[in-house]
Amino acid sequence: MAFLFLQVKGPSVEWIKIQRPPEDSIQPYDKIAARGLPDNVADCLNKLVVVKLNGGLGTSMGCKGPKSLISVRNENTFLDLTVQQIEHLNKTYNTDVPLVLMNSFNTDEDTKKILQKYTHHRVKIHTFNQSRYPRINKDSLLPVATSLHMTGQNAEAWYPPGHGDIYASFYNSHLLDKLIEQGKEYIFVSNIDNLGATVDLHILHHLVSQPNGKRCEFIMEVTDKTRADVKGGTLIQYEGKLRLLEIAQVPKAHVDEFKSVSKFKIFNTNNLWISLAAIKRLQEQNAMDMEIIVNPKTLDGGQNVIQLETAVGAAIKSFDNALGINVPRSRFLPVKTTSDLLLVMSNLYSLDAGCLTMSPKREFPTTPHVKLGSSFTKVQEYLTRFESIPDILELDHLTVSGDVTFGKNVSLKGTVIIIANHGDRIDIPAGSMLENKIVSGNLRILDH
């Protein structure tokens, strides 16, 4: 990868060559679902492997260890929900869909310890590790590591090189060959923190039912962009191929254009369906072509380094008959912050067999816009500020800033803005109903 980085100079796309994808290259989900399901759903499922990207830590939410081990709903972690979903499929259809976790050196040990609790569940779990790459000094372009060890001053010298590393690491682990030998044909890859990324039988059926000469090797689930998604990667047509365009590849002069909802209407959910045989072929031919993303970082000591990364979706242009499917927004429910966590813990969703579905009592399908301030960033702090999660079925927008706590059975509707100024504290009393309200100043409820 470093060799490629040194070879390629300048932005990796020429803006003038970018075209909108042809009509038939991004299919609406409804058209695919309209075909219905075959009698042999089990046969389709037995060709499938579910892969979750499990390399990330929970640091952005103030948690130690793998992000997948954070509790998100009724004491269930991301990993628990994933196992429940697949186990439910295997029991319902009498199938053997395995779960594969791509760990990083940051998450591998903790994840393996926890996997013991699933030994009696009806899902086989495999793991493999993504690579460990050296961070590079920004000026000298040489690795900052002084040895291969990960301790002491070298602890910060290494990084996992993005999820585009899945192809090489999966292939090198020999797990890919093992799964092909077992008759598996496709992987469904997604981020473990996307709670909307469940196995979709209609998309799977579409994949396995293509005629041989037209076998689709890669499906990317995309969904309509909203103002909140301006940074998400989008699909473009470039030099005759469908291609993923990430914000990091966009020349500075065109960033605003990239973010516009009118020109680039969809973005990549990172839910991907990929042919195992095609991964094997491309790896063996050394033909997997992914743009390198240069990610500048500053280490704790102040040293400026760069990390070279790739994205799993960027390989779309290497696969035959690749397709985008425009899926409902419900298939993209990432939990990146405690604001997202509030949504998935609330009565907006119900939990069934590891799957979250939006309540039919919600009158419009969009999720409320929630912005919790810095006092809520860490999961532990966030949990202490809610005696119980408020009723948000009729909420459109919530902004909370400063030292704010919520009593039991609070109900929030419409637009609610709660701002405690520095040094003040606001306690929202138990049982309160706030509808289109701005609360500011100081509100202390004292028990007497």
Side-chain angles (χ1 to χ4, degrees), residues 23 66 252 326:
E23 285 296 304
K252 279 198 172 60
N326 191 335

Side-chain angles (χ1 to χ4, degrees), residues 200-261:
D200 186 281
L201 298 173
H202 294 287
I203 296 177
L204 177 61
H205 173 51
H206 179 78
L207 265 178
V208 298
S209 61
Q210 298 297 307
N212 268 347
K214 283 277 189 178
R215 265 290 160 97
C216 173
E217 295 183 340
F218 194 110
I219 283 179
M220 175 181 286
E221 294 185 37
V222 297
T223 194
D224 292 345
K225 226 188 221 187
T226 68
R227 301 257 170 240
D229 313 305
V230 291
K231 290 182 176 173
T234 192
L235 277 182
I236 56 169
Q237 179 86 350
Y238 193 86
E239 296 178 337
K241 282 272 196 180
L242 209 52
R243 176 161 163 174
L244 179 67
L245 178 66
E246 299 273 11
I247 193 162
Q249 300 163 297
V250 176
K252 279 198 172 60
H254 296 282
V255 166
D256 286 344
E257 196 182 335
F258 174 82
K259 287 181 174 179
S260 87
V261 182

Side-chain angles (χ1 to χ4, degrees), residues 402-441:
D403 187 359
V404 178
T405 65
F406 292 80
K408 270 198 162 63
N409 305 325
V410 171
S411 172
L412 305 171
K413 301 180 180 190
T415 296
V416 178
I417 298 169
I418 305 167
I419 296 174
N421 294 325
H422 190 68
D424 289 343
R425 173 166 151 189
I426 295 178
D427 295 329
I428 302 297
S432 310
M433 197 279 279
L434 299 177
E435 182 167 10
N436 296 326
K437 290 280 183 286
I438 297 177
V439 183
S440 64

Side-chain angles (χ1 to χ4, degrees), residues 12-84:
S12 55
V13 290
E14 289 181 52
W15 199 252
I16 200 154
K17 288 186 181 173
I18 289 177
Q19 295 172 306
R20 283 200 181 159
E23 285 296 304
D24 59 349
S25 66
I26 300 179
Q27 303 258 346
Y29 176 78
D30 292 348
K31 185 177 166 189
I32 280 168
R35 297 186 179 138
L37 290 174
D39 299 333
N40 61 338
V41 169
D43 291 355
C44 298
L45 280 169
N46 279 327
K47 295 175 178 173
L48 183 70
V49 176
V50 175
V51 180
K52 293 286 181 185
L53 303 172
N54 185 46
L57 293 167
T59 35
S60 64
M61 293 170 78
C63 294
K64 280 195 164 70
K67 187 173 181 185
S68 57
L69 307 185
I70 295 175
S71 287
V72 281
R73 179 91 186 204
N74 311 354
E75 303 303 308
N76 289 301
T77 65
F78 291 105
L79 188 53
D80 291 335
L81 295 177
T82 301
V83 171
Q84 286 165 28

Side-chain angles (χ1 to χ4, degrees), residues 159-178:
Y159 71 100
H163 42 52
D165 184 53
I166 184 172
Y167 304 108
S169 295
F170 195 17
Y171 177 79
N172 293 336
S173 72
H174 301 298
L175 186 54
L176 180 82
D177 284 331
K178 192 170 141 189

Side-chain angles (χ1 to χ4, degrees), residues 4-181:
L4 276 172
F5 164 67
L6 293 169
Q7 276 186 316
V8 178
K9 287 280 176 275
S12 55
V13 290
E14 289 181 52
W15 199 252
I16 200 154
K17 288 186 181 173
I18 289 177
Q19 295 172 306
R20 283 200 181 159
E23 285 296 304
D24 59 349
S25 66
I26 300 179
Q27 303 258 346
Y29 176 78
D30 292 348
K31 185 177 166 189
I32 280 168
R35 297 186 179 138
L37 290 174
D39 299 333
N40 61 338
V41 169
D43 291 355
C44 298
L45 280 169
N46 279 327
K47 295 175 178 173
L48 183 70
V49 176
V50 175
V51 180
K52 293 286 181 185
L53 303 172
N54 185 46
L57 293 167
T59 35
S60 64
M61 293 170 78
C63 294
K64 280 195 164 70
K67 187 173 181 185
S68 57
L69 307 185
I70 295 175
S71 287
V72 281
R73 179 91 186 204
N74 311 354
E75 303 303 308
N76 289 301
T77 65
F78 291 105
L79 188 53
D80 291 335
L81 295 177
T82 301
V83 171
Q84 286 165 28
Q85 287 164 21
I86 302 173
E87 185 176 41
H88 178 68
L89 274 177
N90 285 336
K91 283 180 171 171
T92 306
Y93 295 100
N94 192 23
T95 50
D96 177 23
V97 178
L99 168 63
V100 172
L101 299 172
M102 177 166 89
N103 300 337
S104 67
F105 62 83
N106 288 320
T107 62
D108 190 52
E109 204 178 318
D110 290 336
T111 302
K112 281 184 171 154
K113 276 183 201 153
I114 219 87
L115 288 180
Q116 293 163 7
K117 79 182 214 192
Y118 305 115
T119 36
H120 299 296
H121 287 252
R122 191 168 162 183
V123 53
K124 291 196 185 96
I125 304 178
H126 308 274
T127 65
F128 68 94
N129 258 345
Q130 67 184 113
S131 310
R132 170 167 74 111
Y133 278 24
R135 287 183 164 136
I136 296 169
N137 182 307
K138 195 176 172 198
D139 302 317
S140 69
L141 295 183
L142 293 170
V144 296
T146 52
S147 74
L148 288 175
H149 298 299
M150 304 241 345
T151 49
Q153 66 190 71
N154 270 319
E156 276 202 312
W158 304 93
Y159 71 100
H163 42 52
D165 184 53
I166 184 172
Y167 304 108
S169 295
F170 195 17
Y171 177 79
N172 293 336
S173 72
H174 301 298
L175 186 54
L176 180 82
D177 284 331
K178 192 170 141 189
L179 292 165
I180 290 173
E181 278 164 27

